[in-house]
Amino acid sequence: EGCDKPRIRVDATINAWGNDNDELIKNIEAIAPEFSKSQTDLSLVTQHPADFVLGSIDYRIMVPRFRTDIKIKSNRGFISIKDVNGWLEGDTQTGYISLVKLRGYVSMKTAQGDILIQLDGTRWEGLSMNAITQQGDVKVLMPTEYNTDLTLISLIGEVVIDYPVFQINEQDIALVPVQKKQGMFLNQRVRDGGHPVTAETDNGTAKLIKYDPNLEIVAPPAPEKSQGPGGPK
């Protein structure tokens, strides 16, 4: 999450289980984060073996809102990025992705999980936005006065539009997806156009929804609680 302070803050929450204190400490140490840093970079790494089920770790990272580059890779987990301007890349094998009020270059991918994109302002400020899920739904919330070159793709599924008609050169323009033999797509200029916003699902629904940022607040759902030894974590 972006903030106005010129520093980075990292909070890590570790959940672990054990039959006794020694086993608990051992399991905590098994996924304890490794940090390395220089004057321009900070790296956080957690080695989480595929067969390890007695612990997990969650990060909350506050970064400068402007000119911060982020690269996130997760085998399993929820990724949320909010209010950051920079070069932003990320992927997770299994997990929900939430992208809210971003600028710059964004490239995000999940192999299995839904994606939420909340656009901000009247146009994309930066190079482009691109997000794809191989298995899941995509939801794009776009302000009613937004300008962009918009692409929505569903290779197997539907493209659903809940967005009002707008005018170009005094002509009413509606966003109309194209039906293919399998799947649907929308590739259309919105108002004056602009830097591209692209969202794709290989198997799921891609939905465009209008919203008024002055009246509506959109928040991603909390990650589902999973079960482990000793109950929910």
Side-chain angles (χ1 to χ4, degrees), residues 53-105:
V53 296
L54 296 180
S56 66
I57 185 167
D58 297 319
Y59 290 109
R60 184 173 185 266
I61 307 169
M62 303 296 294
V63 302
R65 178 172 290 112
F66 298 101
R67 301 180 66 182
T68 295
D69 299 337
I70 299 171
K71 194 169 189 178
I72 299 175
K73 182 175 178 62
S74 174
N75 288 331
R76 183 181 183 90
F78 168 78
I79 295 177
S80 172
I81 306 178
K82 179 180 180 181
D83 201 13
V84 180
N85 185 338
W87 191 280
L88 313 175
E89 296 180 84
D91 69 83
T92 177
Q93 288 298 307
T94 303
Y96 178 88
I97 294 180
S98 172
L99 309 171
V100 176
K101 296 175 64 176
L102 304 182
R103 295 166 176 81
Y105 170 78

Side-chain angles (χ1 to χ4, degrees), residues 47 86 122 143 204 210:
Q47 300 294 339
T122 59
K210 69 179 187 305

Side-chain angles (χ1 to χ4, degrees), residues 23-42:
E23 184 179 5
L24 176 63
I25 296 300
K26 180 181 178 181
N27 290 333
I28 290 176
E29 292 175 345
I31 53 174
E34 298 177 6
F35 292 87
S36 62
K37 65 179 181 177
S38 67
Q39 291 184 338
T40 58
D41 295 281
L42 172 65

